[in-house]
Amino acid sequence: MTYDEPSRPERDEAADAATDGAVPRRRRVPAVVGTALAAVLVLVALTLPNEVDLLAPAAFIRIPVEGLVAVALLLVLPARPRRVLATLLGALLGLVLVLTIADLGFSTVLDRPFDLIADWAFLAAGAEFLAESYGRAAQVGAVVAAVAALVAVPVLVVVSVRRLAGVAVRHRVATTRAATALAAAWVVCAVLGAQVVPGLPVAADTVATGVYDRAGQVRAGLNDQERLRTQLAGDPFQDTPGDQLLTALRGKDVLVTFVESYGRVAVEDPELAPQVDAVLDDGTRRLAAAGYGSRSAFLTSSTTGGGSWLAHATLMTGIRADNQLRYTNLVRSDRLTLNGAFKRAGWRTSLVMPALTRAWPEADFFAPDRVYGAEDLGYRGPTFSFSSPPDQFTLEAFQRAERAPGHAPVMAEIPLLSSHIPWSPVPKLVDWDDLGDGSVFAGTNRAPRADEGTRRAYRQSIVYSLSTLISYVQRYGDENLVLVFLGDHQPARSITGEGADKDVPITIVAKDPAVLDRISGWGWQDGLNPAPDAPVWPMESFRDRFLRTFGPQSRTHS
């Protein structure tokens, strides 16, 4: 090497500068714009909150400690290791950004972050929902966009980090000074607890905290099967003979009916409750005049905004199913469901699933004698929310199939879907004699007007479903009917607003006073409409209380 020849590190620095973004003057403006966009993308990836309530422009006025550490590492490394590290950091940060975006989507609908272990099934469920509610084209478009984003986001972040690394090296002195100043500011803000947006410290460690939380989430998911095994082993009813189950309900038809998205917000929100409460209060009076009594309270669901099957499993098994992994393991067990208890005790059991259009292996877990899918109901009218028939037709089809004169006592689980998101259009309640094959609903399947609003459409759908249930009891009820109806979960955050709980109303209706006498110790309130101070139980506690209360061992049970 001659005296004027640069050393190998210097040659690497020069090569790095060339490959990492040094540009001639005529391309300086596009280069500056590209660098600015890269900086914005990396800042977003480092500071993006994973809760929709925290989203605001000021949420990005923060100092990410991970960015400062990365700059320090990139400045001290030689060119080739630096490029490798920049690529790895970019890939990791891109993955973090994808997961944060998933968190935002899940927090908007389900009011919780995406579960890296348990929630993959929700992606398929979401795609199915789009097809059922908005058509195949919407489903394909959403899937294509999601896949493109899944690929593009990490690639763009890698390119951005590599570009910024090159800029930092070419302006080493300025970068070092800026990083030092920001590090000092980070320490001061951390000590003072400075926040621009409440809940978001200016001294940010969003990525590190997120990775730590994900690791804990994965550990919890992997350990959940053992916890479930322990819960399953403690079932007090697993081996109870059929002649000792549900003795106080012998001869009754018991309908457990889930009203989709019927949450506490429907009976308490100032904008929604007046109409919903009016239907429930009027229904209480009408049913009382016909000889029916009713008691109501609240259950705390295992889910919110969606995932109805988690709530169904929670109620029926007495075990909280709050994620897909827990649900999958639960339905593979031999847990005695409430459906199975009725079947063991001699009832005919059925599942009425108005949106079921394909094989459903989990049905065997619930031990039905018969599953009624969409085709089995015989509906030939227009489809409504989630491509399902109106609730009135679902109940009429069940009545014809299972409660004809001379029928054996039946226990049925019936999800009613007219109040399923997107909550519009809403069918009309018609005369039961006019239902036929559903053609009577032709012409009522209209798109909502622009001025109707999502909350109004939700309210109308709940009013319809509750009105239908009340009308069904008036039409087909008798001294042997016991109706249990409840919400599966609260609606999405666009309806509930921030900070909503997971409570859903539950009501038991019966004409035989002995049925309601049995639950007198529960403390539930009279009528169809629970007041704000009504009892609140975990949804998973219902199965055991129900089986104990209506078993032979006690007249009442608190």
Side-chain angles (χ1 to χ4, degrees), residues 340-370:
F342 273 96
K343 183 173 183 178
R344 185 184 294 179
W347 270 262
R348 174 176 169 80
T349 59
S350 62
L351 288 173
V352 182
M353 310 294 286
L356 184 63
T357 58
R358 62 181 187 278
W360 186 45
E362 298 100 306
D364 291 340
F365 172 71
F366 296 99
D369 291 299
R370 177 68 191 271

Side-chain angles (χ1 to χ4, degrees), residues 236-251 336-347 547 550-553:
F237 298 99
Q238 188 67 34
D239 299 317
T240 303
D243 60 3
Q244 296 179 28
L245 289 170
L246 302 160
T247 54
L249 291 174
R250 300 291 183 190
L336 179 67
T337 64
L338 194 55
N339 326 61
F342 273 96
K343 183 173 183 178
R344 185 184 294 179
W347 270 262
L547 290 175
F550 290 102
Q553 54 267 59

Side-chain angles (χ1 to χ4, degrees), residues 159-170:
V159 171
S160 297
V161 171
R162 285 180 59 102
R163 184 182 189 92
L164 294 176
V167 172
V169 169
R170 291 196 304 276

